[in-house]
Amino acid sequence: MKTIRARSLVIWYAALVQGQVAIAQTTSPTVAPAPTCAVNVDEQAIRQIPEQWKDSYNPGDAAKVGALYAEDAY
């Protein structure tokens, strides 16, 4: 009984390995496209806030200055 289980295990493992080798040989490696970086867009938007604040504050446009703050800001 133990030998049958051992042989079955060996056959199952061999089939598994053969399947993996066949899959590896049939699939061609592909290069994934470079991910886009949202950090740069966010960083640019954050860096524009002081300029927008200055451009709104100097002429005295309080509405534009206030729009730069969150509703629950203190």
Side-chain angles (χ1 to χ4, degrees):
M1 188 75 161
K2 289 182 182 179
T3 57
I4 293 173
R5 285 186 185 170
R7 286 181 187 170
S8 297
L9 184 59
V10 169
I11 291 171
W12 176 81
Y13 183 73
L16 179 68
V17 170
Q18 285 293 337
Q20 292 296 328
V21 171
I23 290 172
Q25 290 174 350
T26 58
T27 57
S28 61
T30 57
V31 177
T36 57
C37 185
V39 174
N40 291 335
V41 175
D42 293 340
E43 185 177 347
Q44 289 174 353
I46 291 170
R47 290 183 185 272
Q48 289 176 356
I49 292 173
E51 292 298 318
Q52 292 172 346
W53 188 89
K54 180 186 72 168
D55 292 342
S56 301
Y57 180 82
N58 285 339
D61 193 349
K64 286 185 179 178
V65 172
L68 295 173
Y69 292 91
E71 291 179 12
D72 60 349
Y74 294 102

